[in-house]
């Protein structure tokens, strides 16, 4: 009886422990998915000169802006791995990490927010884990990141592969943490930084599961489903010719015709490829290891330079075969499976077979090229050897007939849906402007009514378009497009800012009709601020400075030089974040002057100058204005009405034009016209337009008929 009661108590205790453990796992998983960071907490963790923006509407991430030497440009994104890649750890609960990356895909830092790994909870303590994650700082997503225990290798900034020192007694936990960091960072880099053509894991092609028919080995080669690389010792020596690595391979020099590497690569997550290459028993071994979205790469290698190599640790990440896609490094992990090929497969009998798994979280797109690289390194010197590396490229592409096409990227739909009311207000505002500008003479018939309308519309531009909608167009929009095109990245990222896209669409149309003036004179928030500063100065009787015609013409060329400098920087990638700071829009409008004092002072000084010299920045320095002026030369309409007397002899409009955009002969320089319509108001005024006043006076004097008799 006693034994029975004791057994019952033990059973009940065991059940309670299990229930408590399951409950803890569920709570931990929920916490990991929910995220713990708030805006206030992030501000504390990322103090000035960094500025934490508002949480993104599409992903649970926060943008970081810089307030130092590179200005208020985007400094990166910060996010929790538990929100984006909740990969269960050894305990079954995801480790939650705070990850920050910069716009180039380089890690700013990684911190541990929460973890339940037994090895750190009850064994080693958390100190080794904290030291481990610090190593990500400065590492790029474009590098293949490997975990090596006690390696302590010197990190080379431009190396294709970087080794992070692992923790000897926590191999599994460290590997999962690395996968969590990379999966979350890759997702953000694709969706927000334009890497991987801007596609996340949900926007890539999928392998068709319904084409398992076997093919001949020659057919696999012809279709590119098996890629072959064969290099002799002599061919490898040619790659090193003229470098410090030449003639260092003694064995290769003795046997120039010997095989250095004979390598075959195939994607066996494609059913037809797997059925064509692997035996039935090997197919059965491989299948349980691949989940939906995973990819498997079969590597068959012989020769002196084996892949993955004699010193390779099974279950690890290869150093002799690297994979990139769309500039991003993607890790492959050995499945440690003993596989056999279909009988009669024509590859060398001594070839080694290794199959590598790429998890779905890595976001490898089977519809895009797999850029494999085989790095070959020679060492020169004995004590501190110089490493000379040559890379053997192999491009692998799955034919489209084996794929289900990637779905259209619809993530941007949410952003447009969320801002539908703002877009409606913008559309109404632009419609009013089109109606007004399409009838300039009627709009300008009454000077006071026109000035009231213009003042109200500029308030709409500053308040709604600028500070509320954050739709200030900028030269940064152009440099961003140029940099994406140069890098071969998608422009789909533009669609995630609907207000800016809608306004740009209107501005491009207005350039075709009216030229530069529609945006610069009516829709630029910073330009409107300058105009208000000038109006306030006039009301306060501040003396206005009007530059001479020669000086005005010379200064107007400066903005074109600034545009050329910024475009050259965008194409070369050199100091682009610095040179775009010539434009104060981000400081004054986007960040509302909440920025480091040099940038705020610069914007305020420009506004102060505009109180004396009408719209000084717009006329002489604005690179965006210069680009619009060049594009506006293709306009269809010369919409400003002119009379034959304009310029000869009347000079009223020219002297009253604050932009000095009217030549002495009366012609309008549309490239410098801001569509303020002051000259149209004068043209329609019976009191201010001298030719019209003269016409009216003549019309009121009775005409004496000519009788032919001298008086």
């Amino acid at each position: 009886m006693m034994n029975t009661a004791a057994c019952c108590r033990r059973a009940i205790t065991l059940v309670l422990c299990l229930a408590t453990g399951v409950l803890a796992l569920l709570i931990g998983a929920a916490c990991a998915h929910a995220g713990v960071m708030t805006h206030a907490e992030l501000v504390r963790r990322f103090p000035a000169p960094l500025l934490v923006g508002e949480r993104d509407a599409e992903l649970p991430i926060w943008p970081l802006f810089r307030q130092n030497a590179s200005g208020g440009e985007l400094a990166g994104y910060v996010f929790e791995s538990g929100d984006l890649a909740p990969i269960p750890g050894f305990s079954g609960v995801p480790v939650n990490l705070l990850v920050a990356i910069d716009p180039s895909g380089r890690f700013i830092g990684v911190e541990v927010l929460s973890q339940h790994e037994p090895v750190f909870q009850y064994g080693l303590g958390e100190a080794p884990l904290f030291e481990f994650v610090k190593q990500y700082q400065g590492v790029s997503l474009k590098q293949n990141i490997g975990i090596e225990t006690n390696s302590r290798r010197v990190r080379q900034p431009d190396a294709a592969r970087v080794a992070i020192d692992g923790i000897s007694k926590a191999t599994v936990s460290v590997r999962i943490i690395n996968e969590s960091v990379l999966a979350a960072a890759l997702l953000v880099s694709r969706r927000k930084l334009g890497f991987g053509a801007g596609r996340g894991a949900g926007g890539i092609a999928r392998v068709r599961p319904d084409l398992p028919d076997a093919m001949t080995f020659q057919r696999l080669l012809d279709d590119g489903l098996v890629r072959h690389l064969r290099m002799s010792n002599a061919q490898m020596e040619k790659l090193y010719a003229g470098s410090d690595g030449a003639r260092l391979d003694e064995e290769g020099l003795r046997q120039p015709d010997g095989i250095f590497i004979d390598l075959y690569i195939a994607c066996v997550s494609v059913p037809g490829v797997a059925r064509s290459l692997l035996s039935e028993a090997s197919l059965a071994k491989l299948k349980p290891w691949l989940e939906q979205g995973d990819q498997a790469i079969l590597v068959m290698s012989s020769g002196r330079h084996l892949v993955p190599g004699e010193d390779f640790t099974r279950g690890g990440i290869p150093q002799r075969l690297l994979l990139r896609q769309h500039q991003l490094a993607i890790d492959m992990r050995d499945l440690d499976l003993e596989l056999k090929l279909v009988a009669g497969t024509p590859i060398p009998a001594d070839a080694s077979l290794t199959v590598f798994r790429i998890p779905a979280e890595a976001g490898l797109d089977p519809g895009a090229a797999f850029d494999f690289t085989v790095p070959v390194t020679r060492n020169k010197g004995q004590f501190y050897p110089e490493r000379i590396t040559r890379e053997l490229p192999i491009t692998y592409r799955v034919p489209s007939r084996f794929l289900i096409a990637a779905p259209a990227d619809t993530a941007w739909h949410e952003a447009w849906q969320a801002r539908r009311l703002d877009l409606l207000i913008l559309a109404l505002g632009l419609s009013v402007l089109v109606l007004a500008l399409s009838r300039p003479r009627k709009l300008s018939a009454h000077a006071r009514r026109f000035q009231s309308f213009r003042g109200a519309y500029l308030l709409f531009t500053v308040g709604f378009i600028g500070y509320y909608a954050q739709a200030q167009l900028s030269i940064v929009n152009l440099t961003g497009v140029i940099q994406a095109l140069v890098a071969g990245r998608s422009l789909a990222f533009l669609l995630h800012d609907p207000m800016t896209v809608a306004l740009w669409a209107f501005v491009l149309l207005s350039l075709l009709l009216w030229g530069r003036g529609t945006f610069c004179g009516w829709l630029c928030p910073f330009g409107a601020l300058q105009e208000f500063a000038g109006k306030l100065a006039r009301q306060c009787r501040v003396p206005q400075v009007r530059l001479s015609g020669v000086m005005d013409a010379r200064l107007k060329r400066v903005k074109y030089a600034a545009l050329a400098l910024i475009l050259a920087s965008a194409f070369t990638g050199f100091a682009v974040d610095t040179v775009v700071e010539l434009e104060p829009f981000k400081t004054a409008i986007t960040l509302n002057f909440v920025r480091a004092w040099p940038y705020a002072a610069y914007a305020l000084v420009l506004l102060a100058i505009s109180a004396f010299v009408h719209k000084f920045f717009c006329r002489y320095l604005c690179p965006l204005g210069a680009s619009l002026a060049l594009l506006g030369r293709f306009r269809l309409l010369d919409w400003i009405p002119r009379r034959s007397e304009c310029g000869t002899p009347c000079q009223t409009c020219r002297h009253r034009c604050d932009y000095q955009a009217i030549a002495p002969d009366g012609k309008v320089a549309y490239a410098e016209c801001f569509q303020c319509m002051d000259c149209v108001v004068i043209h329609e005024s019976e009191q201010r337009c001298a030719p019209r006043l003269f016409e009216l006076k003549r019309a009121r004097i009775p005409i004496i008929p000519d009788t032919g008799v001298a008086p």
Side-chain angles (χ1 to χ4, degrees):
M1 184 70 67
M2 292 291 294
N3 291 337
T4 303
C7 289
C8 289
R9 287 195 297 271
R10 290 173 182 171
I12 293 171
T13 302
L14 179 60
V15 171
L16 289 174
C17 289
L18 289 174
T20 303
V22 171
L23 182 61
L25 289 176
L26 292 174
I27 293 174
C31 291
H33 283 76
V36 298
M37 285 291 102
T38 63
H39 186 272
E41 175 62 19
L42 287 172
V43 169
R44 185 185 69 81
R45 290 173 178 261
F46 295 92
L50 291 177
L51 177 69
V52 181
E54 294 300 319
R55 179 169 160 147
D56 187 78
E58 179 189 1
L59 292 176
I61 63 178
W62 288 264
L64 297 174
F65 298 98
R66 242 188 322 263
Q67 300 183 71
N68 52 23
S70 57
E73 282 302 312
L74 179 71
Y77 288 99
V78 59
F79 46 90
E80 297 178 50
S81 65
D83 283 330
L84 302 174
I87 301 174
F90 192 79
S91 66
V93 179
V95 176
N96 195 19
L97 303 147
L98 186 66
V99 184
I101 59 174
D102 70 13
S104 68
R106 194 173 296 275
F107 285 98
I108 298 172
V110 178
E111 298 180 25
V112 179
L113 294 178
S114 64
Q115 61 87 21
H116 299 273
E117 297 300 281
V119 67
F120 300 122
Q121 292 274 35
Y122 312 113
L124 300 175
E126 292 186 319
L129 176 59
F130 296 158
E131 291 299 318
F132 169 77
V133 298
K134 286 181 181 179
Q135 297 178 83
Y136 285 96
Q137 183 175 0
V139 174
S140 173
L141 286 168
K142 298 176 184 179
Q143 297 174 299
N144 289 85
I145 302 172
I147 308 297
E148 299 182 12
T149 304
N150 298 324
S151 64
R152 297 297 180 187
R153 291 189 180 184
V154 177
R155 182 178 297 171
Q156 300 177 11
D158 299 326
R161 177 178 173 80
V162 61
I164 292 180
D165 196 61
I167 304 173
S168 59
K169 296 181 180 180
T171 305
V172 175
S173 296
V174 163
R175 187 192 74 190
I176 293 172
I177 289 169
N178 183 58
E179 291 179 358
S180 301
V181 170
L182 295 182
L186 286 170
L187 174 61
V188 175
S189 66
R190 289 187 172 96
R191 296 290 289 275
K192 290 299 179 182
L193 301 179
F195 291 103
R199 293 184 178 274
I204 62 177
R206 292 182 292 119
V207 173
R208 292 185 61 175
D210 57 342
L211 293 177
D213 297 338
M215 294 166 278
T216 65
F217 192 79
Q218 187 58 49
R219 175 69 181 277
L220 294 175
L221 288 172
D222 293 342
D223 289 351
L225 290 165
V226 172
R227 295 287 289 152
H228 183 207
L229 171 69
R230 181 185 175 95
M231 295 286 290
S232 68
N233 292 329
Q235 289 173 319
M236 282 303 305
E237 190 61 37
K238 285 184 180 180
L239 292 180
Y240 282 96
S243 72
D244 291 338
R247 305 192 64 80
L248 294 179
D249 183 7
E250 296 181 359
E251 182 178 349
L253 294 174
R254 288 195 304 269
Q255 300 178 0
D257 295 332
I259 300 302
F260 180 79
I261 184 172
D262 193 3
L263 179 68
Y264 296 85
I265 295 177
C267 182
V268 290
S269 46
V270 177
V273 178
R275 179 71 61 183
S276 304
L277 292 175
L278 298 177
S279 66
E280 290 293 335
S282 295
L283 288 173
K285 283 184 182 180
L286 178 62
K287 185 177 180 180
W289 289 94
L290 298 181
E291 299 178 359
Q292 185 175 3
D294 291 354
Q295 305 301 328
I297 305 298
L298 179 65
V299 176
M300 301 163 280
S301 171
S302 62
R304 294 176 52 213
H305 191 78
L306 293 175
V307 175
E310 301 89 341
D311 57 349
F312 176 69
T313 302
R314 298 309 301 263
I317 298 173
Q319 299 183 34
R320 290 190 176 185
L321 184 65
L322 308 179
L323 171 60
R324 292 184 183 85
Q325 190 176 73
H326 300 301
Q327 298 183 332
L328 291 175
I330 298 177
D331 280 340
M332 307 181 294
R333 185 169 295 279
D334 173 33
L335 286 177
D336 195 12
L337 298 176
E338 296 293 335
L339 303 180
K340 293 185 178 180
L341 299 177
V342 172
T345 303
I347 67 167
D350 61 344
S352 66
L353 270 65
T354 312
V355 63
F356 297 99
R357 171 180 173 266
I358 303 166
E361 292 82 5
L364 182 71
D365 186 357
F370 299 12
D371 297 319
F372 291 99
T373 300
V374 179
V376 180
T377 301
R378 291 182 178 181
N379 296 325
K380 182 179 182 180
Q382 183 175 359
F383 296 104
Y384 298 99
E386 177 186 359
R387 297 166 63 89
I388 305 99
T389 301
R390 295 292 182 267
E391 295 185 343
L392 308 178
I394 308 173
T395 300
Y396 186 96
R397 187 181 287 276
V398 178
S400 59
R401 70 177 184 275
F402 293 95
L403 301 171
I404 300 172
D409 181 13
T410 59
W412 56 271
H413 289 180
E414 298 178 7
W416 286 74
Q417 185 71 13
R419 305 208 66 175
R420 59 186 183 276
L421 179 59
D422 296 342
L423 289 167
L424 177 61
I425 296 173
L426 178 64
L428 291 174
L430 296 178
S431 299
V432 170
L433 183 61
V434 169
L435 182 63
L437 297 182
S438 62
R439 309 176 72 180
R441 300 180 71 168
K442 185 172 183 178
L443 178 66
S444 307
H446 302 281
R448 288 187 178 180
R449 186 173 64 187
F450 170 75
Q451 291 300 331
S452 298
F453 171 78
R454 179 165 173 78
Y457 202 92
L458 291 181
L459 283 174
F460 169 78
T461 295
V462 173
F464 178 77
I465 295 178
Y467 288 116
Y468 176 79
Q470 290 289 292
Q472 167 76 70
L473 302 190
S474 167
I475 194 66
V476 175
N477 303 141
L478 300 183
T479 58
V481 169
I482 291 172
Q483 289 179 294
L485 292 176
V486 169
R489 300 199 297 264
S490 168
L491 298 181
F493 68 91
L494 297 173
L495 295 175
H496 294 279
D497 188 357
M499 297 296 288
T500 300
V501 170
L503 190 56
W504 263 116
F506 176 83
V507 169
L508 292 176
L509 179 62
S510 71
L511 284 173
L512 185 63
L513 295 175
W514 297 300
R516 164 196 185 182
T518 307
F519 172 75
C520 294
W522 292 88
L523 296 172
C524 177
F526 189 75
L529 281 181
Q530 289 183 90
E531 190 158 335
F532 284 133
K535 290 180 181 295
L536 180 62
R538 287 187 178 94
Q539 290 180 2
C540 296
R541 302 184 183 278
V542 174
Q544 300 295 296
V545 177
R546 186 179 181 91
L547 303 179
S548 67
V550 174
M551 180 62 69
D552 174 74
R554 289 176 178 175
L555 286 178
K556 283 176 177 175
R557 298 171 187 166
V558 175
K559 61 179 176 287
Y560 295 102
L563 174 64
L565 174 64
I566 290 174
L567 292 181
S569 179
F571 277 107
T572 61
F574 178 73
V576 63
D577 290 347
T578 301
V579 296
V580 295
E581 285 305 322
L582 175 66
E583 186 185 76
F585 300 168
K586 180 180 276 51
T587 300
I589 305 298
T590 306
L591 299 178
N592 198 16
F593 293 99
V594 180
R595 201 175 175 193
W597 74 266
Y599 303 101
Y602 172 64
L604 290 171
V605 166
L606 290 175
L607 288 176
I609 294 176
S610 67
F612 300 89
V613 182
H614 188 68
K615 296 183 81 165
F616 175 84
F617 175 79
C618 298
R619 295 164 62 191
Y620 303 128
L621 297 179
C622 182
L624 179 64
S627 65
L628 296 180
L630 293 174
L631 295 173
R633 294 182 183 276
F634 301 99
R635 74 189 184 285
L636 300 176
L637 305 175
D638 288 344
W639 57 272
I640 298 178
R642 300 276 81 192
R643 290 190 171 90
S644 59
E645 296 88 352
C646 293
T648 308
C650 184
Q651 297 286 312
T652 303
C653 290
R654 183 172 76 89
H655 291 309
R656 295 294 181 89
C657 180
D658 291 324
Y659 299 96
Q660 297 177 247
I662 300 178
D665 62 359
K667 292 184 179 179
V668 177
Y670 282 91
E672 302 300 334
C673 174
F674 281 62
Q675 210 165 356
C676 69
M677 300 178 68
D678 284 348
C679 60
V680 183
V681 172
I682 295 174
H683 183 276
E684 299 301 313
S685 174
E686 296 180 358
Q687 292 77 32
R688 300 169 65 185
C689 179
R692 179 165 185 172
L693 181 61
F694 182 72
E695 289 176 1
L696 291 174
K697 286 184 176 181
R698 275 197 316 178
R700 291 169 184 157
I701 298 175
I703 300 176
I704 301 175
D706 186 1
T707 60
V709 180

mmCIF file of all heavy atoms in Angstrom, residues 299-317:
data_model
loop_
_atom_site.group_PDB
_atom_site.id
_atom_site.type_symbol
_atom_site.label_atom_id
_atom_site.label_comp_id
_atom_site.label_asym_id
_atom_site.label_seq_id
_atom_site.Cartn_x
_atom_site.Cartn_y
_atom_site.Cartn_z
ATOM 1 N N VAL A 299 26.854 17.736 -53.599
ATOM 2 C CA VAL A 299 28.187 18.069 -54.095
ATOM 3 C C VAL A 299 28.960 16.771 -54.289
ATOM 4 O O VAL A 299 29.106 15.975 -53.348
ATOM 5 C CB VAL A 299 28.930 18.996 -53.106
ATOM 6 C CG1 VAL A 299 30.349 19.258 -53.594
ATOM 7 C CG2 VAL A 299 28.175 20.308 -52.945
ATOM 8 N N MET A 300 29.432 16.567 -55.512
ATOM 9 C CA MET A 300 30.221 15.384 -55.856
ATOM 10 C C MET A 300 31.599 15.863 -56.288
ATOM 11 O O MET A 300 31.712 16.623 -57.250
ATOM 12 C CB MET A 300 29.532 14.604 -56.978
ATOM 13 C CG MET A 300 28.125 14.133 -56.618
ATOM 14 S SD MET A 300 27.112 13.656 -58.046
ATOM 15 C CE MET A 300 26.559 15.257 -58.633
ATOM 16 N N SER A 301 32.633 15.445 -55.569
ATOM 17 C CA SER A 301 33.945 16.064 -55.742
ATOM 18 C C SER A 301 35.050 15.011 -55.762
ATOM 19 O O SER A 301 35.025 14.041 -54.990
ATOM 20 C CB SER A 301 34.187 17.054 -54.597
ATOM 21 O OG SER A 301 35.508 17.520 -54.595
ATOM 22 N N SER A 302 36.017 15.225 -56.641
ATOM 23 C CA SER A 302 37.228 14.407 -56.664
ATOM 24 C C SER A 302 38.387 15.296 -57.089
ATOM 25 O O SER A 302 38.213 16.467 -57.430
ATOM 26 C CB SER A 302 37.072 13.227 -57.630
ATOM 27 O OG SER A 302 36.878 13.687 -58.953
ATOM 28 N N GLY A 303 39.600 14.745 -57.059
ATOM 29 C CA GLY A 303 40.795 15.518 -57.373
ATOM 30 C C GLY A 303 41.557 15.873 -56.111
ATOM 31 O O GLY A 303 41.264 15.418 -55.011
ATOM 32 N N ARG A 304 42.557 16.738 -56.267
ATOM 33 C CA ARG A 304 43.385 17.133 -55.126
ATOM 34 C C ARG A 304 42.651 18.061 -54.170
ATOM 35 O O ARG A 304 42.892 18.053 -52.970
ATOM 36 C CB ARG A 304 44.651 17.843 -55.632
ATOM 37 C CG ARG A 304 45.607 16.948 -56.420
ATOM 38 C CD ARG A 304 46.759 17.770 -56.947
ATOM 39 N NE ARG A 304 47.388 18.537 -55.876
ATOM 40 C CZ ARG A 304 47.937 19.734 -56.019
ATOM 41 N NH1 ARG A 304 47.902 20.330 -57.203
ATOM 42 N NH2 ARG A 304 48.499 20.356 -54.996
ATOM 43 N N HIS A 305 41.776 18.907 -54.729
ATOM 44 C CA HIS A 305 41.076 19.897 -53.912
ATOM 45 C C HIS A 305 39.630 19.433 -53.724
ATOM 46 O O HIS A 305 38.719 19.838 -54.446
ATOM 47 C CB HIS A 305 41.115 21.263 -54.600
ATOM 48 C CG HIS A 305 40.658 22.399 -53.723
ATOM 49 N ND1 HIS A 305 41.458 22.960 -52.759
ATOM 50 C CD2 HIS A 305 39.482 23.076 -53.669
ATOM 51 C CE1 HIS A 305 40.800 23.939 -52.155
ATOM 52 N NE2 HIS A 305 39.588 24.025 -52.685
ATOM 53 N N LEU A 306 39.419 18.586 -52.732
ATOM 54 C CA LEU A 306 38.084 18.053 -52.497
ATOM 55 C C LEU A 306 37.186 19.092 -51.840
ATOM 56 O O LEU A 306 37.648 19.957 -51.098
ATOM 57 C CB LEU A 306 38.160 16.812 -51.601
ATOM 58 C CG LEU A 306 38.835 15.570 -52.191
ATOM 59 C CD1 LEU A 306 38.929 14.487 -51.136
ATOM 60 C CD2 LEU A 306 38.058 15.071 -53.407
ATOM 61 N N VAL A 307 35.902 18.977 -52.131
ATOM 62 C CA VAL A 307 34.884 19.791 -51.472
ATOM 63 C C VAL A 307 33.926 18.829 -50.769
ATOM 64 O O VAL A 307 33.392 17.931 -51.415
ATOM 65 C CB VAL A 307 34.110 20.666 -52.491
ATOM 66 C CG1 VAL A 307 32.976 21.425 -51.793
ATOM 67 C CG2 VAL A 307 35.050 21.637 -53.192
ATOM 68 N N PRO A 308 33.772 18.968 -49.467
ATOM 69 C CA PRO A 308 34.195 20.080 -48.608
ATOM 70 C C PRO A 308 35.615 19.985 -48.076
ATOM 71 O O PRO A 308 36.062 20.906 -47.396
ATOM 72 C CB PRO A 308 33.191 20.008 -47.460
ATOM 73 C CG PRO A 308 32.831 18.580 -47.366
ATOM 74 C CD PRO A 308 32.860 18.047 -48.770
ATOM 75 N N GLY A 309 36.369 18.915 -48.317
ATOM 76 C CA GLY A 309 37.757 18.840 -47.882
ATOM 77 C C GLY A 309 37.993 17.776 -46.837
ATOM 78 O O GLY A 309 37.091 17.359 -46.107
ATOM 79 N N GLU A 310 39.261 17.341 -46.751
ATOM 80 C CA GLU A 310 39.608 16.273 -45.810
ATOM 81 C C GLU A 310 39.451 16.690 -44.351
ATOM 82 O O GLU A 310 39.118 15.874 -43.488
ATOM 83 C CB GLU A 310 41.053 15.803 -46.043
ATOM 84 C CG GLU A 310 41.319 15.267 -47.447
ATOM 85 C CD GLU A 310 41.746 16.375 -48.416
ATOM 86 O OE1 GLU A 310 41.479 17.564 -48.108
ATOM 87 O OE2 GLU A 310 42.327 16.043 -49.461
ATOM 88 N N ASP A 311 39.700 17.973 -44.072
ATOM 89 C CA ASP A 311 39.639 18.430 -42.689
ATOM 90 C C ASP A 311 38.264 18.960 -42.299
ATOM 91 O O ASP A 311 38.102 19.577 -41.246
ATOM 92 C CB ASP A 311 40.685 19.523 -42.446
ATOM 93 C CG ASP A 311 40.514 20.700 -43.400
ATOM 94 O OD1 ASP A 311 39.738 20.581 -44.368
ATOM 95 O OD2 ASP A 311 41.162 21.747 -43.172
ATOM 96 N N PHE A 312 37.264 18.697 -43.140
ATOM 97 C CA PHE A 312 35.915 19.197 -42.870
ATOM 98 C C PHE A 312 35.267 18.401 -41.738
ATOM 99 O O PHE A 312 35.359 17.176 -41.688
ATOM 100 C CB PHE A 312 35.067 19.091 -44.140
ATOM 101 C CG PHE A 312 33.631 19.493 -43.962
ATOM 102 C CD1 PHE A 312 33.288 20.811 -43.724
ATOM 103 C CD2 PHE A 312 32.620 18.546 -44.028
ATOM 104 C CE1 PHE A 312 31.967 21.184 -43.573
ATOM 105 C CE2 PHE A 312 31.295 18.905 -43.878
ATOM 106 C CZ PHE A 312 30.964 20.235 -43.645
ATOM 107 N N THR A 313 34.608 19.128 -40.826
ATOM 108 C CA THR A 313 33.881 18.491 -39.730
ATOM 109 C C THR A 313 32.453 18.238 -40.173
ATOM 110 O O THR A 313 31.719 19.184 -40.508
ATOM 111 C CB THR A 313 33.887 19.392 -38.479
ATOM 112 O OG1 THR A 313 35.242 19.650 -38.101
ATOM 113 C CG2 THR A 313 33.157 18.719 -37.330
ATOM 114 N N ARG A 314 32.037 16.975 -40.168
ATOM 115 C CA ARG A 314 30.699 16.625 -40.627
ATOM 116 C C ARG A 314 29.641 17.348 -39.803
ATOM 117 O O ARG A 314 29.778 17.494 -38.592
ATOM 118 C CB ARG A 314 30.470 15.114 -40.548
ATOM 119 C CG ARG A 314 31.391 14.278 -41.418
ATOM 120 C CD ARG A 314 31.427 14.758 -42.861
ATOM 121 N NE ARG A 314 30.143 14.745 -43.514
ATOM 122 C CZ ARG A 314 29.714 13.767 -44.309
ATOM 123 N NH1 ARG A 314 30.469 12.699 -44.531
ATOM 124 N NH2 ARG A 314 28.532 13.849 -44.888
ATOM 125 N N GLY A 315 28.602 17.799 -40.492
ATOM 126 C CA GLY A 315 27.557 18.562 -39.837
ATOM 127 C C GLY A 315 27.823 20.057 -39.818
ATOM 128 O O GLY A 315 26.987 20.819 -39.335
ATOM 129 N N GLY A 316 28.968 20.475 -40.358
ATOM 130 C CA GLY A 316 29.337 21.884 -40.305
ATOM 131 C C GLY A 316 29.027 22.630 -41.594
ATOM 132 O O GLY A 316 28.332 22.134 -42.488
ATOM 133 N N ILE A 317 29.585 23.826 -41.689
ATOM 134 C CA ILE A 317 29.416 24.698 -42.855
ATOM 135 C C ILE A 317 30.710 24.668 -43.656
ATOM 136 O O ILE A 317 31.787 24.881 -43.095
ATOM 137 C CB ILE A 317 29.084 26.133 -42.414
ATOM 138 C CG1 ILE A 317 27.752 26.150 -41.648
ATOM 139 C CG2 ILE A 317 29.014 27.079 -43.603
ATOM 140 C CD1 ILE A 317 27.418 27.485 -41.034
#
